[in-house]
Amino acid sequence: MCGIVGYVGQQNVVDVVMGGLRRLEYRGYDSAGVAVVAGDEVLVRRRAGKLANLEKLLADKPLPAATFGMGHTRWATHGAPNDRNAHPHLDEAAKVAVVHNGIIENFAALRSHLEDNGVTLASDTDTEVVSHLLAEQFDGDLAEAMRAVCRKLEGAFTLVAVHADQPDVVVGARRNSPLVVGRGDGENFLGSDVSAFIAHTRHAVELGQDQVVELRADRVDVTTFDGQPAEVREYEVDWDASAAEKGGYDYFMLKEIYEQPKAVADTLLGRIDDEGLLQLDEMRLSDEDLRDVDKIVIIGCGTAFHSGLIAKYSIEHWTRIPVEVEVASEFRYRDPILGRRTLVIAISQSGETMDTLMAIRHAREQGSRVLAICNVNGSTIPRESDAVVYTYAGPEIAVASTKAFLTQIIAVHLVALYLAQVRGMKWSDEIARHVDDLAAMPEAVDRVLDTVGPVRALARELVDARAVLFLGRHVGFPVALEGALKLKELAYMHAEGFPAGELKHGPIALIEEGLPVVVVVPPLSRKVLHDKIVSNIQEIRARGARTIVIAEEGDDTVAPYADTLIPVPAVPTLLQPVVAIVPLQVFACELASAKGYDVDQPRNLAKSVTVE
Ligand code: F6R
């Protein structure tokens, strides 16, 4: 949700910033802009649409070489996605420029205050008030002005600003939105995430809540909004620039789909200690706390919510602790029953999703403990949680989540087993057996990827379909939801996932001649469920549906009812989502590509949703 880059150093700022924006474009692509300081004024180039439009503008109207400045790629909240509302925003004297990610909730009152003082605003954004307020407060020290302005702001914001009268200084601030510092040698960077500067340095500094950072080429000073020096955490990013490149694939999404075996293997690495006991990353909860848990609530959004649905099956099965799963955006508004003995598990790839973050804060206010499952080290959600299990998917650039989903499934199974271990529900040899099952997943996913050719052909054949339905039972139901979500977001098609048993209670009325229906069949070992879904397939086929059946290899019972059969390796039931979702990811990717849509940057979406 908006990408921000800031730079001060020896290189030409436009080159550095444009490189960073290219890597951050997945966060929003409604407009893009850069600002540099030359002489005593700030110069800005900004353009609606994708970064390519800004690149063209810069080619036609280059900016002078400069050594400090910033850039922005926008996901519009306030104001249409046009040139006028593109960031950076200036004050009336064109002395200060500001970029912003988030929403300033009291911007209407601030706008009235400025208008009463005779200021004319040039855009419809909430952001622009900040540039005028900074101009109003500036007295030679931009960081001081930023602190004063931040104290007046309500809502969520990352801000970065430069002032023409304070050369070689870039100032950033954050509340509830991400901002990371990259430390270089004689140069420093700011980015919404580390990919903004990973081509230059892997040395990062995590900023805390309500902090202002003042960046010079040779130093980084961090304070609270009140001006007190702040403690920060420094860390090394454990992936390099090549991880954020397409590496020969047409799309990041395809590359990330093919990275899944490695992502799963990395997430499993080093989990068993010398005594055969399972280890998690940052467990600031004692065994006693975990033994005391009497209810688990899992929260997440979109794909992360779907992995939460899968987690319910493994946690309840292995630990017998009751589990509720809820969409994070709904959670705190229904006054959920939480207490000290409730463990909340928050799942988030980015670690910045505002709906999930707000749900976590609510849970902690009620005295509950929070365990985060997250892919981004140093992001806000793990920082605000009591324990963390990291997924090691590496950077996920495509807007549609793929490898994060698979690693989240692995992580939730690890958490389930860990709880079972701590609570004495499983012996270490049983845990080791389950971990062996998990360890077989990379190879199983590899085998699926080796056989997806027919799925791609099917996608091209169905390019004109109006809708696709997805059915599943048990852990196949979240797979159906996830398959439908991928198709909606990438191919802009009507796609719905249903529990197959619900079909006869309404959705069967949607079945018409030729409607493609994807069915995820449980393993043969789950005979009762399996047989029921085979009946469901027959029911829809009798009504004209085109059946696309995902079933385990060797399941001959479904073949007679499948117009297209997609075999996947036989794995334990609770792990079936890991193999069953892969063909559906490929299906959505290929269908979107066949329609000529932008696979990596689907319309209206952004990768990290940092507004509620
Ligand atoms: C779907 C997708 C989104 C995210 C959701 C949560 O492909 O990417 O539905 O899963 O926005 O994001 P995180 O996991 O970053 O909290």
Side-chain angles (χ1 to χ4, degrees):
M1 210 111 292
C2 299
I4 289 179
V5 189
Y7 176 74
V8 51
Q10 323 305 326
Q11 305 185 54
N12 183 8
V13 62
V14 176
D15 297 341
V16 175
V17 163
M18 290 303 285
L21 290 182
R22 252 170 243 126
R23 291 181 201 284
L24 289 184
E25 201 183 8
Y26 72 90
R27 298 179 69 89
Y29 27 86
D30 287 332
S31 65
V34 288
V36 303
V37 177
D40 61 354
E41 56 173 351
V42 182
L43 299 172
V44 169
R45 299 284 183 271
R46 51 188 197 165
R47 203 26 63 95
K50 295 206 167 175
L51 197 57
N53 298 355
L54 175 65
E55 279 165 352
K56 187 165 176 318
L57 176 67
L58 284 166
D60 296 345
K61 255 178 103 179
L63 284 166
T67 52
F68 73 107
M70 65 209 188
H72 185 266
T73 173
R74 177 172 189 236
W75 186 84
T77 57
H78 291 61
N82 53 25
D83 286 353
R84 211 163 70 86
N85 292 326
H87 300 214
H89 290 282
L90 296 170
D91 69 317
E92 287 183 303
K95 286 281 186 187
V96 60
V98 173
V99 292
H100 166 222
N101 170 27
I103 291 180
I104 293 163
E105 284 167 3
N106 58 337
F107 90 100
L110 296 168
R111 197 178 169 106
S112 306
H113 153 85
L114 289 163
E115 283 168 348
D116 290 349
N117 288 353
V119 175
T120 308
L121 285 101
S123 76
D124 311 314
T125 64
D126 51 341
T127 307
E128 194 193 338
V129 296
V130 177
S131 41
H132 299 292
L133 290 172
L134 282 173
E136 199 177 82
Q137 293 288 334
F138 183 78
D139 190 15
D141 182 346
L142 185 57
E144 188 51 45
M146 182 66 93
R147 285 187 283 269
V149 171
C150 286
R151 292 195 293 268
K152 294 180 202 262
L153 302 181
E154 288 166 17
F157 48 87
T158 296
L159 296 163
V160 174
V162 290
H163 199 295
D165 293 345
Q166 198 178 8
D168 301 316
V169 171
V170 177
V171 171
R174 75 168 289 259
R175 167 182 288 166
N176 289 339
S177 272
L179 187 65
V180 192
V181 178
R183 264 189 193 278
D185 188 8
E187 56 183 358
N188 286 307
F189 306 80
L190 286 172
S192 297
D193 67 43
V194 297
S195 62
F197 49 74
I198 193 71
H200 305 277
T201 179
R202 288 164 71 170
H203 192 52
V205 180
E206 193 181 286
L207 294 177
Q209 204 40 346
D210 287 7
Q211 291 182 352
V212 167
V213 56
E214 191 175 0
L215 224 63
R216 291 183 171 78
D218 57 354
R219 56 187 281 195
V220 174
D221 295 297
V222 184
T223 60
T224 63
F225 285 177
D226 293 327
Q228 301 303 315
E231 294 253 319
V232 291
R233 185 178 81 93
E234 308 214 0
Y235 63 102
E236 289 297 315
V237 181
D238 57 7
W239 48 272
D240 61 20
S242 64
E245 307 288 348
K246 282 189 198 153
Y249 287 90
D250 288 343
Y251 316 108
F252 277 111
M253 181 176 176
L254 207 52
K255 176 185 173 232
E256 289 161 8
I257 288 172
Y258 277 85
E259 282 172 349
Q260 294 184 113
K262 180 172 183 320
V264 167
D266 288 351
T267 300
L268 284 166
L269 221 59
R271 297 294 185 184
I272 298 280
D273 71 10
D274 296 344
E275 280 148 39
L277 292 175
L278 201 55
Q279 297 300 316
L280 303 182
D281 295 289
E282 292 174 25
M283 186 48 75
R284 296 179 288 270
L285 295 173
S286 67
D287 286 2
E288 204 181 338
D289 287 338
L290 294 176
R291 277 194 283 272
D292 206 32
V293 168
D294 65 357
K295 179 171 88 166
I296 292 178
V297 181
I298 304 179
I299 49 173
C301 302
T303 293
F305 169 68
H306 297 157
S307 45
L309 290 174
I310 295 167
K312 177 178 168 73
Y313 289 89
S314 52
I315 297 177
E316 287 190 339
H317 182 62
W318 286 330
T319 70
R320 310 310 296 156
I321 308 171
V323 178
E324 293 168 15
V325 191
E326 187 152 358
V327 167
S329 55
E330 287 296 316
F331 179 68
R332 68 184 171 129
Y333 299 104
R334 71 170 169 91
D335 191 15
I337 301 166
L338 298 164
R340 212 186 51 77
R341 298 182 68 192
T342 311
L343 177 68
V344 172
I345 301 181
I347 308 178
S348 173
Q349 186 283 129
S350 61
E352 300 293 349
T353 300
M354 187 58 74
D355 291 315
T356 310
L357 181 61
M358 290 302 166
I360 289 174
R361 289 190 184 155
H362 180 77
R364 295 191 84 202
E365 275 160 24
Q366 309 299 308
S368 300
R369 261 55 82 96
V370 177
L371 184 154
I373 292 178
C374 184
N375 194 41
V376 180
N377 191 329
S379 56
T380 310
I381 286 175
R383 273 213 319 267
E384 295 204 12
S385 300
D386 299 288
V388 191
V389 178
Y390 282 109
T391 52
Y392 291 90
E396 195 179 61
I397 309 280
V399 164
S401 196
T402 54
K403 58 179 179 169
F405 181 59
L406 255 65
T407 56
Q408 284 163 359
I409 301 173
I410 300 298
V412 296
H413 281 64
L414 288 171
V415 169
L417 290 171
Y418 188 82
L419 286 167
Q421 169 182 287
V422 169
R423 293 163 72 98
M425 306 287 290
K426 280 198 183 292
W427 299 109
S428 58
D429 57 336
E430 285 177 278
I431 297 212
R433 264 204 311 279
H434 289 302
V435 174
D436 284 349
D437 288 339
L438 289 168
M441 286 302 109
E443 202 200 316
V445 175
D446 248 335
R447 279 178 47 212
V448 180
L449 289 170
D450 283 346
T451 55
V452 287
V455 175
R456 300 177 89 157
L458 177 73
R460 297 207 160 250
E461 211 183 299
L462 294 180
V463 70
D464 293 322
R466 280 193 305 121
V468 181
L469 300 188
F470 294 76
L471 305 177
R473 297 190 84 120
H474 195 264
V475 288
F477 168 49
V479 175
L481 291 176
E482 177 64 7
L485 178 62
K486 293 288 93 103
L487 206 57
K488 278 181 227 180
E489 64 184 328
L490 293 164
Y492 320 148
M493 283 168 75
H494 177 226
E496 295 291 336
F498 299 107
E502 271 293 291
L503 202 63
K504 55 192 176 298
H505 299 290
I508 199 162
L510 292 169
I511 306 290
E512 56 187 20
E513 197 59 38
L515 178 80
V517 183
V518 176
V519 188
V520 183
V521 178
L524 276 163
S525 58
R526 304 296 299 238
K527 185 156 174 23
V528 179
L529 271 183
H530 178 277
D531 292 356
K532 290 217 168 6
I533 215 164
V534 174
S535 304
N536 297 143
I537 300 173
Q538 293 177 61
E539 287 154 17
I540 55 171
R541 201 152 186 263
R543 287 162 177 83
R546 171 174 182 164
T547 55
I548 300 158
V549 178
I550 300 179
E552 71 182 10
E553 288 161 350
D555 182 350
D556 299 327
T557 60
V558 286
Y561 317 111
D563 293 312
T564 306
L565 183 61
I566 305 173
V568 291
V571 299
T573 309
L574 289 171
L575 290 174
Q576 202 201 22
V578 176
V579 288
I581 192 59
V582 177
L584 300 182
Q585 297 168 337
V586 173
F587 180 69
C589 179
E590 192 68 20
L591 221 154
S593 150
K595 281 174 174 280
Y597 296 157
D598 189 331
V599 170
D600 287 332
Q601 296 177 343
R603 71 180 179 203
N604 303 338
L605 290 170
K607 181 82 182 154
S608 322
V609 187
T610 54
V611 292
E612 259 191 290

